[in-house]
Amino acid sequence: MTEEQWENLCRRCGLCCFEKYIDGERVIHTSIACRHLDIVTRDCRVYAKRFSVGEGCVQLTPAVVEQVRWLPAECAYVRHVKKRRQG
């Protein structure tokens, strides 16, 4: 899969752009969005330079998606990785 194909999986729901707290095994999602997220359109205002603006944005690669627990189950990346794992 190319990087462009991977990026195109994203439905731009913006759920990964909200603050989360991890309490033991629980992931607690908050309603506090990154300051660069347009909460109406769910578009990142700095998407092209999101890794250099200092907001802690994580590049979601297949390897990262397999390891993190804080992405919601409905995330297109999570669904893709899970489907790929199942064969």
Side-chain angles (χ1 to χ4, degrees):
M1 175 174 279
T2 67
E3 185 176 334
E4 182 179 355
Q5 289 170 320
W6 173 257
E7 287 284 323
N8 286 336
L9 289 175
C10 181
R11 296 183 321 223
R12 306 290 187 262
C13 68
L15 293 176
C16 59
C17 300
F18 285 82
E19 287 189 26
K20 302 144 208 64
Y21 298 100
I22 299 177
D23 180 20
E25 292 297 315
R26 284 184 5 175
V27 177
I28 302 164
H29 296 268
T30 73
S31 59
I32 303 167
C34 170
R35 67 188 174 119
H36 299 294
L37 181 68
D38 180 318
I39 60 170
V40 174
T41 65
R42 298 294 174 111
D43 288 328
C44 176
R45 294 183 190 105
V46 296
Y47 192 79
K49 59 181 182 178
R50 65 195 181 280
F51 304 121
S52 62
V53 296
E55 294 294 329
C57 189
V58 175
Q59 186 170 7
L60 297 176
T61 65
V64 169
V65 172
E66 284 192 43
Q67 293 177 3
V68 300
R69 299 179 298 129
W70 46 262
L71 286 169
E74 59 268 22
C75 171
Y77 292 133
V78 171
R79 288 176 177 230
H80 176 78
V81 167
K82 188 175 184 179
K83 183 179 175 183
R84 193 179 73 188
R85 237 185 291 148
Q86 294 173 346

